[in-house]
Amino acid sequence: GDLMQPLPAEWPLFDLISAPDWIQHAQDPEKGLRHLIEKLKMDGRLHLRTYAAGHFRFFLVQIARTLLTWEDRDTVLDLIPLFFPCGFLEFSCPDTIYFENILDDFFVPYLWTFRRDAVIRFCEAMGLRVIADFPPSSLSECPPVQLGFRKHADPPLPLPQLDYRYDAFDVS
């Protein structure tokens, strides 16, 4: 389904929703996450992983997104092997630094970052409780926000807002 629209009413409620690495590319992360939570059963669990705000990687991504257009994609594809002949294995974070991931961040229409506390605040306001908080690894140069929740109540009205943003580094 399209998470920018309410999911179909005939769809069942789910015991578990695993949502790694998509919310940062959603047109409206708040709306998409809200629609997922609506389809979570009471006592159901949600696993969420997304980009954390404030890392140097996103400073570089912001520069690239400012300079590159979709038409530059083929040129980037041709240049990466010249600058990285051995690939990205030499970096200490091979799970988040790989060819497709870098291109994805440069060329997707939306790229948001999130503060851990803002995600927790939003999900708690939507009736979820944190049941797992995966701490950032000291080995990772760009640790994600990775959390597990359990639904214990229906969301109140008015619905809460999720604080997300494109990291605003000064690139002048």
Side-chain angles (χ1 to χ4, degrees):
D2 176 3
L3 288 173
M4 295 303 101
Q5 304 297 322
L7 295 172
E10 64 272 9
W11 281 21
L13 297 178
F14 296 95
D15 294 310
L16 172 65
I17 296 175
S18 184
D21 301 325
W22 69 270
I23 192 173
Q24 65 263 19
H25 298 303
Q27 179 180 3
D28 184 338
E30 178 182 316
K31 186 184 289 186
L33 190 53
R34 186 173 286 140
H35 290 155
L36 274 184
I37 292 169
E38 289 171 358
K39 285 297 182 179
L40 194 59
K41 283 183 181 178
M42 197 60 66
D43 279 334
R45 292 171 292 145
L46 171 68
H47 168 253
L48 183 65
R49 183 177 64 213
T50 189
Y51 292 158
H55 292 281
F56 185 69
R57 172 181 171 189
F58 297 108
F59 169 69
L60 298 177
V61 168
Q62 181 180 359
I63 292 170
R65 289 174 66 87
T66 302
L67 299 173
L68 299 172
T69 66
W70 182 257
E71 289 75 30
D72 298 315
R73 188 174 188 277
D74 288 337
T75 302
V76 172
L77 287 170
D78 293 340
L79 290 175
I80 286 178
L82 297 174
F83 287 97
F84 300 96
C86 297
F88 301 108
L89 295 177
E90 64 189 85
F91 296 97
S92 65
C93 192
D95 56 328
T96 59
I97 299 177
Y98 55 92
F99 191 71
E100 295 82 5
N101 189 312
I102 290 173
L103 288 181
D104 182 47
D105 291 345
F106 288 177
F107 296 106
V108 292
Y110 307 102
L111 180 67
W112 308 104
T113 60
F114 301 83
R115 288 187 359 262
R116 170 181 248 88
D117 62 321
V119 173
I120 291 172
R121 222 176 11 260
F122 175 78
C123 288
E124 287 178 342
M126 287 292 293
L128 305 179
R129 284 195 181 125
V130 176
I131 59 170
D133 186 350
F134 303 93
S137 167
S138 61
L139 301 176
S140 178
E141 296 169 356
C142 186
V145 172
Q146 186 167 208
L147 300 157
F149 297 94
R150 184 176 303 275
K151 186 172 183 178
H152 71 93
D154 286 320
L157 293 175
L159 294 173
Q161 292 186 315
L162 174 61
D163 175 29
Y164 60 94
R165 62 179 182 268
Y166 190 80
D167 274 345
F169 295 101
D170 182 2
V171 293
S172 59

